[in-house]
Amino acid sequence: SRRSALGRKAAFSTLSILVALLIAGQAVTIYYVYQQSGQISKLTKTSQNLQLEALQRKLPGNAKPVNKMKMAKANTPLLMHPASFEDLSFKAPASNKTEDIVKHLLLQADPSRKFPELNDNLMDNLKHLRRTMDHMDWKSFESWMHKWLLFLMANNPKSEDRKTIPAEKG
């Protein structure tokens, strides 16, 4: 009987040690998983920041990221996400013309920005822009014009005024 009591105590001690090791192992595993979760979080943020920087580098010339631009509240074109209009409080331009409002917004973002004098017809103005813009800015502008044209075509798909304009060689 004394032997069985010692055997039970040994078994209980062994079982207690195994349970303690199991609990300690679980605690260590949880600690490492928590640490890895923190590392993954940091890597995700770093990755997102790098993607944002890469996108900003692709923006044309003097363009600023949307979250750094200040925008007027009054009658602005729908160029930005509505959430970016929330905390804006500065004086809008005197004129309510779209061109004046957009110029005002761009100058708010970058006061050193310059605008070319475009007083000819549309084709001559576009030729002037193509000659004066660097290649990447022009390609970005062409891409924007393509999307704008698609928008106009989708907005008025049955327009009888639309005529095909052949592309000019050169």
Side-chain angles (χ1 to χ4, degrees), residues 45-120:
K45 285 180 184 177
T46 302
S47 173
Q48 288 172 345
N49 287 339
L50 289 173
Q51 287 173 347
L52 180 62
E53 286 175 18
L55 286 174
Q56 287 174 355
R57 281 188 212 114
K58 289 181 183 178
L59 290 175
N62 293 329
K64 299 287 185 190
V66 173
N67 61 352
K68 291 183 180 177
M69 286 181 68
K70 292 183 178 181
M71 302 208 44
K73 290 181 181 181
N75 196 15
T76 56
L78 295 176
L79 297 175
M80 305 297 173
H81 191 275
S84 62
F85 288 81
E86 289 171 0
D87 60 345
L88 303 170
S89 57
F90 62 88
K91 188 177 178 184
S95 168
N96 207 21
K97 288 174 36 182
T98 302
E99 180 181 342
D100 292 338
I101 292 172
V102 171
K103 277 184 180 178
H104 179 76
L105 292 174
L106 293 172
L107 287 171
Q108 286 286 325
D110 182 3
S112 67
R113 186 182 299 267
K114 302 289 183 227
F115 299 99
E117 290 291 325
L118 299 172
N119 298 322
D120 295 324

Side-chain angles (χ1 to χ4, degrees), residues 26-38:
Q26 291 293 325
V28 168
T29 302
I30 290 170
Y31 173 76
Y32 282 116
V33 167
Y34 180 74
Q35 291 287 48
Q36 293 301 318
S37 172

